[in-house]
Amino acid sequence: MRLMPPYPAVAPALLALLWLSAVRASASAAAASAPNIVFILADDLGWNDVSWHNDQVVSPNMQQLVDTGVQLEQSYVQPLCTPSRSALLTGLYPFRLGRQGRPLGSKTPTGLSLDHTLLPERLTHLGYATHMIGKWHLGYCNWAYTPIERGFDTHYGYLLGSEYHFNHTIINGYDFREQREADFTANGTYGTHLFADRAVRIIEEHQGSDQPFFLYLALQNVHLPLEVPDEYLVHYPEDLDEDRRLLLGMVTALDEAVGRVVQALKDTGLYDNSVIVFSSDNGGVGMNGESNQPLRGNKGSMWEGGTRAVGFVHSPLLQGTPRVHSGLLHITDWHNTLLALAGESILPDNDGFNQWNSLVDPSVTSPRTTFIYNLDAESEEMSLGAIRLLNHKFVMGEKDLERGDKTGPWLFNLEDDPNEAVNLIEFEPELAVALELLLLEELPNVVPRDEPANDPAGDPSNWGGVWTPGWCDVP
Ligand SMILES: *[C@@H]1O[C@H](CO)[C@@H](O)[C@H](O)[C@H]1NC(C)=O
Ligand SMILES: *[C@@H]1O[C@H](CO)[C@@H](O)[C@H](O)[C@H]1NC(C)=O
């Protein structure tokens, strides 16, 4: 039969409609069995500041999740908050985004590049509800950079990198929001308590729903300033160093929040089809009671103490638990791993590997053999970077924090020397050169640091005392 007008004119619209409803149907069909994903990112939590590495630490809820889950022992992150969070949500090394340098400052007129699709946006397309709680730190000078414009249905928390835990103020401004609105009811309540309450509420609201959810719970603990309600200090001896005692109290408060989230999943019956991932964003600061012992170095460095993060995955869907996962895993891997878990069949091309099979199945090893710790070409003389290949780590150069000059290079065998004590550069010069070349291959792909000068327009005095978007243009 020949198609007669006006059919041809209507056909494209009709087809588009049919296609749309087919897509929606398949998205919700996938959604019905797709697991809920809770990604808990701790802030500045050190290697030695969890009970499974140090029995002085009181973190019974997380310990229980580790004891019945998969403990991640070679899970690597970036040395600092903004770069790690950028890598998590894009699946890309920060040097491809201009985010390899300093964390975003409170008046920096930029944010995480808008050219890339973030994980929550992709999960939304797969039929997920997407919620973010806690710290953003990926730019806020324009609303376009903020969580609800970047794929999250909801955001409850703060936009900058740190603040006082009770009054939610940093420098001269308040920073706490419910969606776009400043939320002054948070003033006076401990951040980690607020975030746990909200997480529990979101989970309860999903009870009985067919729609799976992604909850990105970016907790404030144990970032400075050292503040914690007294009730958490009773777990630690009074004669402990004061900073250490406060820090460990903050770990116990963090642990309680994690425990409440898991309990809510169980109470609502959502636990059986949920996956909980826990990671620190970088190592501990190492100067105010935090510790990455016995690893070398701290937050801000490419040493293991800055980049090898505590972490675990817990879910009734995992096989052969408890188990230690010693394969290489990098923070860029979560993007594709979680997408695969959510049912995405065509994974985006990025720096990550889909690790889901190696996490769920004890007989599968990590698909990753190499990764770049960081790569930064501050100037022609100052290329800094480090690369891992199997057990070896080559550090092209680190910036000496006191003197500002470049030190290195180093070569380590982390299997024999996990604490980076013995520089092998003179013993294995060919290997060092080969690794340096591998790293230098990426140098032409380094996007220059996106670190424009502070703009006083962002000062809270212009915005009623609240750190507020609206004072920069987007490219
Ligand atoms: C917030 O709390 C800190 C620590 O107690 C205090 O030093 C600071 O002045 C407080 N800021 C405001 C605006 O209340
Ligand atoms: C927070 O509460 C304190 C104590 O009531 C008050 O002094 C401060 O002004 C409040 N901060 C804001 C931003 O409202």
Side-chain angles (χ1 to χ4, degrees):
M1 193 180 92
R2 269 196 71 211
L3 297 175
M4 300 299 281
Y7 189 79
V10 189
L14 197 68
L15 282 176
L17 260 180
L18 285 172
W19 180 82
L20 252 185
S21 56
V23 167
R24 291 223 179 90
S26 73
S28 52
S33 59
N36 305 303
I37 300 167
V38 179
F39 195 104
I40 305 174
L41 192 67
D43 204 348
D44 292 359
L45 184 61
W47 184 258
N48 196 34
D49 297 340
V50 292
S51 52
W52 55 101
H53 289 162
N54 176 353
D55 60 17
Q56 183 190 32
V57 183
V58 179
S59 55
N61 293 293
M62 294 196 284
Q63 185 69 51
Q64 210 257 334
L65 298 178
V66 167
D67 289 345
T68 51
V70 174
Q71 180 180 336
L72 303 176
E73 283 297 280
Q74 291 221 66
S75 170
Y76 285 87
V77 295
Q78 297 301 128
L80 291 163
C81 345
T82 299
S84 269
R85 287 155 210 261
S86 302
L88 173 68
L89 295 186
T90 60
L92 293 167
Y93 288 131
F95 69 77
R96 298 194 201 286
L97 305 158
R99 297 262 68 88
Q100 64 275 25
R102 281 183 283 271
L104 285 161
S106 53
K107 294 181 199 166
T108 312
T110 188
L112 177 59
S113 163
L114 300 171
D115 298 341
H116 300 278
T117 306
L118 304 192
L119 178 62
E121 222 175 316
R122 294 191 197 275
L123 288 169
T124 301
H125 291 309
L126 292 170
Y128 273 67
T130 55
H131 303 284
M132 175 177 177
I133 298 174
K135 161 168 154 176
W136 180 238
H137 209 186
L138 292 173
Y140 79 99
C141 61
N142 187 297
W143 284 108
Y145 289 119
T146 64
I148 48 174
E149 301 278 335
R150 302 226 63 184
F152 286 103
D153 301 337
T154 69
H155 176 230
Y156 175 76
Y158 56 114
L159 296 170
L160 276 65
S162 72
E163 60 185 19
Y164 283 103
H165 292 255
F166 290 95
N167 63 32
H168 311 293
T169 296
I170 181 75
I171 319 170
N172 59 338
Y174 186 77
D175 182 15
F176 204 98
R177 280 173 197 275
E178 162 97 51
Q179 301 295 80
R180 282 167 174 260
E181 300 303 316
D183 177 1
F184 295 102
T185 66
N187 186 10
T189 307
Y190 195 59
T192 293
H193 289 171
L194 292 168
F195 302 139
D197 286 349
R198 178 55 60 100
V200 168
R201 191 174 117 187
I202 285 174
I203 291 166
E204 285 171 355
E205 283 171 1
H206 274 278
Q207 183 166 25
S209 164
D210 277 346
Q211 189 184 24
F213 66 85
F214 170 53
L215 171 59
Y216 172 39
L217 180 55
L219 289 170
Q220 188 173 2
N221 287 26
V222 298
H223 199 291
L224 293 174
L226 296 176
E227 286 183 304
V228 69
D230 288 343
E231 63 199 86
Y232 299 97
L233 298 177
V234 300
H235 300 285
Y236 301 100
E238 275 175 39
D239 58 0
L240 197 62
D241 168 78
E242 197 186 335
D243 280 357
R244 182 74 180 148
R245 193 163 180 242
L246 282 167
L247 187 281
L248 293 183
M250 292 172 81
V251 176
T252 304
L254 163 79
D255 179 75
E256 181 192 78
V258 174
R260 289 188 59 204
V261 168
V262 177
Q263 192 57 46
L265 289 170
K266 289 183 174 167
D267 292 346
T268 51
L270 293 167
Y271 171 80
D272 289 341
N273 194 31
S274 294
V275 173
I276 300 154
V277 181
F278 178 90
S279 175
S280 185
D281 65 338
N282 46 247
V285 179
M287 290 189 297
N288 323 277
E290 316 89 344
S291 166
N292 304 300
Q293 293 292 324
L295 302 180
R296 182 174 179 173
N298 298 310
K299 173 181 178 179
S301 77
M302 291 181 288
W303 300 116
E304 296 292 289
T307 55
R308 189 173 169 190
V310 292
F312 61 80
V313 185
H314 176 90
S315 171
L317 304 172
L318 301 173
Q319 299 154 19
T321 53
R323 151 162 73 87
V324 174
H325 185 283
S326 308
L328 285 185
L329 196 150
H330 187 258
I331 190 161
T332 54
D333 295 343
W334 293 114
H335 193 95
N336 282 3
T337 300
L338 300 182
L339 284 177
L341 176 60
E344 179 58 90
S345 49
I346 304 165
L347 296 173
D349 189 16
N350 57 32
D351 293 309
F353 284 85
N354 171 10
Q355 294 271 5
W356 182 242
N357 290 336
S358 84
L359 293 171
V360 78
D361 180 348
S363 70
V364 177
T365 52
S366 165
R368 185 180 273 287
T369 55
T370 180
F371 67 88
I372 293 175
Y373 285 80
N374 199 22
L375 185 55
D376 194 358
E378 275 191 75
S379 63
E380 260 177 52
E381 313 79 62
M382 185 79 95
S383 289
L384 307 170
I387 189 169
R388 178 74 174 267
L389 180 65
L390 300 168
N391 292 326
H392 282 91
K393 174 177 182 177
F394 171 78
V395 186
M396 181 163 56
E398 264 282 6
K399 193 164 163 179
D400 186 296
L401 285 178
E402 267 131 48
R403 289 171 301 156
D405 53 1
K406 181 176 154 177
T407 51
W410 294 273
L411 179 70
F412 302 106
N413 180 336
L414 294 180
E415 189 175 40
D416 303 339
D417 178 23
N419 306 329
E420 302 170 290
V422 184
N423 190 354
L424 300 175
I425 215 98
E426 302 196 343
F427 302 97
E428 299 187 59
E430 295 89 357
L431 181 58
V433 167
L435 289 176
E436 179 164 25
L437 286 177
L438 265 180
L439 192 53
L440 290 176
E441 255 175 36
E442 287 287 353
L443 209 50
N445 300 325
V446 173
V447 172
R449 284 185 177 196
D450 172 29
E451 293 179 354
N454 283 350
D455 186 342
D459 195 276
S461 59
N462 302 322
W463 301 92
V466 181
W467 296 97
T468 303
W471 45 276
C472 75
D473 293 325
V474 293

